[in-house]
C-alpha cells in the first residue's frame, strides 16, 4: 500500500501573482483550475507534475485580502520539493535573476537544502536528492528537464511535543522514524518517492501560529481507496481518540479531516479518482472545472473570479 503525502494546501494572496510564481518561476504544471467548494467565489488552484501524481500536488486558496499568517507551533514550518542534486546551482542562479532571496545552502540528514519564500511569505525549500535526475519532471517552459522539480520531498511540522504526532504518523499514516538531528526527528514513508518525508521539529514554548497568507492550511496524506481511508479513520478514533469529519467528495479525491495532536490540520485523501476524471491529461488545468452542485452557478462564479493573466 502506498503511503506518504497526497497534497499540501496553502493560503495565498492574489491568484495571478501566485500562478506567476509557482508555474512561471518554479515550473510546476497548473493541474486543476477550480474553486474552493466551501467558498466558490475563490479559486482553488492545484499545481503539480505532468499527471497530477499524489505527492506532487501543492494547492492554494488565493484569498486576496486575507491577513498575513504568523508562523508558530501547530503550523507547517516548511514545504520542500525534490530536485536533482546538480540542479541546485541552476536554481540558485534562477532565483538570483528573479530577485528571490535564498538562504545559504545547508545540509539536513545528509542532503543539501536551498530555502526561500514565495511572494506571500510561504516557507519553501528545494532539496537535492540523489537519483532524482533519473525521474521524469514537468518540463514545459524554460526550465531544462534535468533541473525540474520532481514533486515533494516533504514537510516540516512545528510541534511542542514530538511523541503524540509521531504516534499518529507511525500507527495510522504508514511512516517510520528514521533518525534525529538536533530538534528535528525525521519520518519516512517506506516505498514513497514523492512526498515521503515528514520532519517533526520540537519547539516547546513557541507561541501558536496563526493562519493567513503564506500559511499551510492543511497537509493531506494518501489512502489508496475508501476502505483504506476508513481503516485509518478507525485507528485514529480507537487508538488515539481523534475523530475525523465525515467523508467529503472533493471531485478528484475523497477526504476526511482531523487536527493532529500538535495542532496541524491533517487530511486523509484517496488516490481515486484522480485529476483526469473531468478533463484529459494533456489538457489538465486549461478550463475552469466545477463540481456538479455548482454548475448552475457557473456564470455568477465566473463573474466574480479574477482573471489569472
Amino acid at each position: 500500500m502506498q503511503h506518504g503525502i497526497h497534497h499540501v494546501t496553502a493560503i495565498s494572496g492574489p491568484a495571478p501573482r501566485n500562478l506567476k510564481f509557482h508555474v512561471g518561476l518554479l515550473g510546476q504544471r497548473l493541474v486543476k483550475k477550480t474553486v474552493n467548494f466551501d467558498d466558490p467565489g475563490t479559486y482553488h488552484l492545484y499545481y503539480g507534475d505532468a499527471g497530477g501524481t499524489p505527492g506532487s500536488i501543492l494547492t492554494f486558496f488565493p484569498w486576496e485580502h486575507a491577513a498575513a499568517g504568523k508562523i508558530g507551533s501547530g503550523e507547517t514550518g516548511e514545504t520542500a520539493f525534490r530536485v536533482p542534486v546538480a540542479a541546485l546551482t541552476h536554481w540558485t542562479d534562477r532565483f538570483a535573476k528573479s530577485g528571490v532571496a535564498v538562504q545559504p545552502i545547508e545540509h539536513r540528514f545528509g542532503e543539501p537544502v536551498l530555502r526561500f519564500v514565495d511572494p506571500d511569505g510561504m516557507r519553501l525549500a528545494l532539496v537535492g536528492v540523489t537519483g532524482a535526475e533519473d525521474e521524469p519532471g514537468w518540463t514545459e517552459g524554460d526550465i531544462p528537464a534535468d533541473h525540474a522539480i520532481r514533486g515533494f520531498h516533504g514537510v516540516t511540522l512545528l510541534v511542542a511535543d514530538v511523541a503524540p504526532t509521531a504516534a499518529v504518523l507511525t500507527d495510522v499514516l504508514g511512516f517510520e522514524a528514521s533518525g534525529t538531528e538536533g530538534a528535528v526527528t525525521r519520518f519516512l514513508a517506506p516505498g514513497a518517492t514523492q512526498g515521503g518525508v515528514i520532519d517533526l521539529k520540537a519547539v516547546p514554548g513557541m507561541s501558536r501560529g496563526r493562519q493567513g497568507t503564506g500559511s499551510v492550511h492543511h497537509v493531506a496524506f494518501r489512502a489508496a481507496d475508501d476502505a483504506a481511508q476508513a481503516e485509518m479513520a478507525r485507528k485514529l478514533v480507537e487508538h488515539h481518540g481523534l475523530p475525523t469529519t465525515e467523508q467529503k467528495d472533493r471531485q478528484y479525491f475523497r477526504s476526511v479531516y482531523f487536527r493532529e495532536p500538535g495542532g496541524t490540520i491533517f487530511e486523509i485523501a484517496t488516490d481515486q479518482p484522480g485529476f483526469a476524471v473531468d478533463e484529459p491529461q494533456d489538457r489538465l488545468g486549461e478550463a475552469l472545472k466545477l463540481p456538479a452542485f455548482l454548475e448552475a452557478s457557473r456564470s455568477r462564479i465566473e463573474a466574480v473570479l479574477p482573471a489569472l493573466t
Side-chain angles (χ1 to χ4, degrees):
M1 181 181 293
Q2 184 65 271
H3 293 291
I5 294 170
H6 184 282
H7 67 270
V8 174
T9 293
I11 301 168
S12 80
R17 185 178 70 186
N18 179 262
L19 182 74
K20 181 178 179 181
F21 186 89
H22 288 274
V23 172
L25 182 63
L26 295 188
Q28 299 180 90
R29 184 180 191 183
L30 177 60
V31 170
K32 193 64 60 177
K33 179 170 56 176
T34 182
V35 295
N36 183 328
F37 292 179
D38 301 314
D39 179 17
T42 302
Y43 280 115
H44 193 176
L45 303 177
Y46 291 72
Y47 307 127
D49 64 10
T53 309
S56 76
I57 300 296
L58 177 60
T59 95
F60 284 92
F61 300 139
W63 284 317
E64 184 167 352
H65 301 295
K70 172 182 175 293
I71 198 70
S73 179
E75 294 283 328
T76 300
E78 184 179 270
T79 302
F81 299 101
R82 306 165 71 257
V83 297
V85 175
L88 289 178
T89 299
H90 166 85
W91 283 102
T92 301
D93 293 343
R94 184 174 178 85
F95 289 144
K97 291 175 182 177
S98 300
V100 176
V102 300
Q103 300 297 316
I105 289 179
E106 59 185 74
H107 284 77
R108 301 181 200 155
F109 296 93
E111 297 172 323
V113 180
L114 181 65
R115 299 167 58 207
F116 60 102
V117 298
D118 80 354
D120 292 297
M122 183 179 178
R123 299 183 181 196
L124 300 165
L126 299 178
V127 179
V129 178
T130 301
E133 63 274 11
D134 299 324
E135 303 161 11
W138 174 246
T139 57
E140 196 165 290
D142 63 345
I143 299 175
D146 53 350
H147 299 321
I149 286 171
R150 266 70 168 180
F152 286 129
H153 183 264
V155 298
T156 300
L157 305 179
L158 306 177
V159 295
D161 182 2
V162 167
T165 302
V168 171
L169 289 175
T170 56
D171 179 46
V172 179
L173 300 176
F175 285 77
E176 298 177 355
S178 72
T180 300
E181 281 190 0
V184 178
T185 303
R186 173 156 289 186
F187 296 81
L188 302 178
T193 301
Q194 299 178 326
V197 177
I198 301 292
D199 285 340
L200 298 185
K201 184 173 183 179
V203 289
M206 188 180 199
S207 61
R208 293 296 294 245
R210 182 188 66 246
Q211 290 198 343
T213 56
S215 300
V216 168
H217 185 270
H218 61 265
V219 179
F221 295 87
R222 295 180 68 176
D225 51 30
D226 292 336
Q229 183 189 75
E231 174 61 14
M232 295 159 86
R234 182 193 67 79
K235 284 186 175 181
L236 282 169
V237 173
E238 294 183 5
H239 298 183
H240 306 277
L242 296 172
T244 68
T245 65
E246 72 281 5
Q247 189 187 67
K248 298 179 184 293
D249 186 351
R250 298 309 192 190
Q251 191 82 355
Y252 313 109
F253 43 87
R254 293 177 292 278
S255 301
V256 297
Y257 301 83
F258 66 100
R259 193 176 292 273
E260 58 85 21
T264 304
I265 300 171
F266 279 4
E267 173 183 350
I268 302 173
T270 60
D271 284 356
Q272 303 168 350
F275 291 97
V277 70
D278 59 1
E279 57 188 342
Q281 184 167 315
D282 63 351
R283 305 195 63 179
L284 290 177
E286 291 185 8
L288 177 68
K289 308 305 291 188
L290 298 176
F293 75 90
L294 288 176
E295 273 296 345
S297 302
R298 175 177 285 272
S299 296
R300 180 180 58 79
I301 290 171
E302 289 180 337
V304 300
L305 291 173
L308 290 177
T309 57

